[in-house]
Amino acid sequence: MNREERRFVAFVRLLVRKRRELESTGKYGTLAEQRINNDPRLTEAFTTLDDNTKRRMVRAASLALRDFMPFRKAADRAERKAEEIAKKAVELQRCLEQFFSSVPPQVVTQMFSINNLLRAAANPSSEGRWEGNREHVLDPITPEGAIGWSWAPSIDILVGELAERARAFRFDELPIEPAFNAVRQARNNPKTIYLRAFISYLDDLGIASHQACDVSLRKAVSTVATIAIDQDITLDDVNKALISRQEFLRRLSR
């Protein structure tokens, strides 16, 4: 993981932590929620909705106002890097196989076994914890443990597994906030990005998918979204976003 990818992971963790902290104090999105709640257009839009649904809808609308562009760029970059890792790992695996076929087996065991590599490798980020505890992992106290290490895969096999996983990597499958992946493939259109995020948060809060055919709900979504981003969001826009949401969920379930 390079510096940019580490910064992105830290950024996502910070967002999640801040969201939880602010939600616990009831302050998350307060200003945006106040602005939406104070708009007179909500009165008619919320006529048929219960108070709990109203609150959750306004909360989802405020959550969706965040800037998703840094995430979209980082996600694209991560997938490109995964492709690069897969190609280079395949090349490295071939080189290792050719090397191993050219030297005595004991050289491979002594220099390149997983056990010996782990024994020699340091982990600066563990601040000495790995070095202080690795003997407990690498020196099994049972015969079965010793036999297990003797049958462990060689480094070229692990590199091949790395290539397979990198090749199969899809950012959409990561367990991060649903709205992040919901907007991932959206066109660079603020209206489209906002609506996808809004409906994703509605779904996350339990009031979108199971009521997707409720006209009054869709009209309320249209009005709230219009107020939130100060652009005209039509019922047709909402319908298209709901369809995109269902297609996205079907892809994830495959």
Side-chain angles (χ1 to χ4, degrees):
M1 187 180 293
N2 62 33
R3 181 181 299 177
E4 290 184 347
E5 290 163 344
R6 286 196 297 271
R7 288 177 61 187
F8 170 68
V9 171
F11 167 71
V12 171
R13 289 174 178 168
L14 177 63
L15 280 181
V16 173
R17 187 171 69 251
K18 287 296 184 183
R19 176 184 175 182
R20 289 172 180 166
E21 290 175 356
L22 292 170
E23 282 187 334
S24 67
T25 62
K27 296 179 181 178
Y28 190 88
T30 300
L31 294 178
E33 290 179 28
Q34 288 178 353
R35 177 173 63 81
I36 296 170
N37 275 319
N38 291 336
D39 194 291
R41 288 172 288 183
L42 280 191
T43 303
E44 181 179 353
F46 280 176
T47 301
T48 62
L49 304 181
D50 60 79
D51 290 341
N52 190 33
T53 299
K54 295 174 186 177
R55 285 193 297 270
R56 287 184 291 172
M57 184 173 290
V58 173
R59 170 61 59 89
S62 67
L63 291 174
L65 287 169
R66 66 179 54 179
D67 180 12
F68 289 98
M69 190 54 66
F71 158 76
R72 284 157 61 92
K73 290 181 179 179
D76 290 342
R77 184 170 60 248
E79 288 194 350
R80 289 196 302 270
K81 286 298 180 181
E83 293 178 6
E84 185 179 339
I85 289 170
K87 293 177 182 178
K88 292 184 177 180
V90 168
E91 183 179 351
L92 176 59
Q93 183 185 25
R94 290 172 183 162
C95 289
L96 286 169
E97 289 173 347
Q98 293 170 0
F99 173 72
F100 291 166
S101 67
S102 305
V103 297
Q106 60 268 30
V107 173
V108 177
T109 301
Q110 292 173 3
M111 297 184 64
F112 297 101
S113 71
I114 300 302
N115 188 294
N116 286 335
L117 287 172
L118 288 173
R119 197 179 300 278
N123 182 11
S125 65
S126 74
E127 298 180 343
R129 296 184 185 89
W130 164 245
E131 290 77 8
N133 290 280
R134 63 180 162 189
E135 297 304 322
H136 301 296
V137 177
L138 302 177
D139 292 329
I141 60 175
T142 64
E144 291 80 6
I147 293 173
W149 270 115
S150 70
W151 288 106
S154 57
I155 186 64
D156 57 313
I157 295 176
L158 288 186
V159 170
E161 179 64 22
L162 171 64
E164 289 296 325
R165 296 198 174 204
R167 190 179 295 112
F169 175 81
R170 296 294 181 273
F171 209 95
D172 293 351
E173 298 171 3
L174 296 182
I176 58 180
E177 279 204 44
F180 284 1
N181 282 328
V183 304
R184 171 77 195 289
Q185 302 300 331
R187 293 174 296 138
N188 286 325
N189 181 315
K191 181 191 295 187
T192 302
I193 292 172
Y194 177 79
L195 263 180
R196 289 197 183 186
F198 184 14
I199 289 174
S200 177
Y201 282 122
L202 285 175
D203 205 9
D204 196 30
L205 292 171
I207 60 173
S209 291
H210 67 287
Q211 298 186 68
C213 295
D214 188 323
V215 175
S216 62
L217 178 68
R218 283 180 281 158
K219 287 182 178 178
V221 169
S222 170
T223 301
V224 173
T226 297
I227 295 169
I229 63 173
D230 196 25
Q231 290 191 43
D232 185 30
I233 303 295
T234 66
L235 190 57
D236 185 55
D237 293 328
V238 175
N239 291 336
K240 290 178 181 177
L242 284 168
I243 292 172
S244 295
R245 175 67 178 167
Q246 296 306 313
E247 292 175 348
F248 170 72
L249 293 176
R250 279 197 293 271
R251 287 198 303 272
L252 285 185
S253 64
R254 290 173 187 171

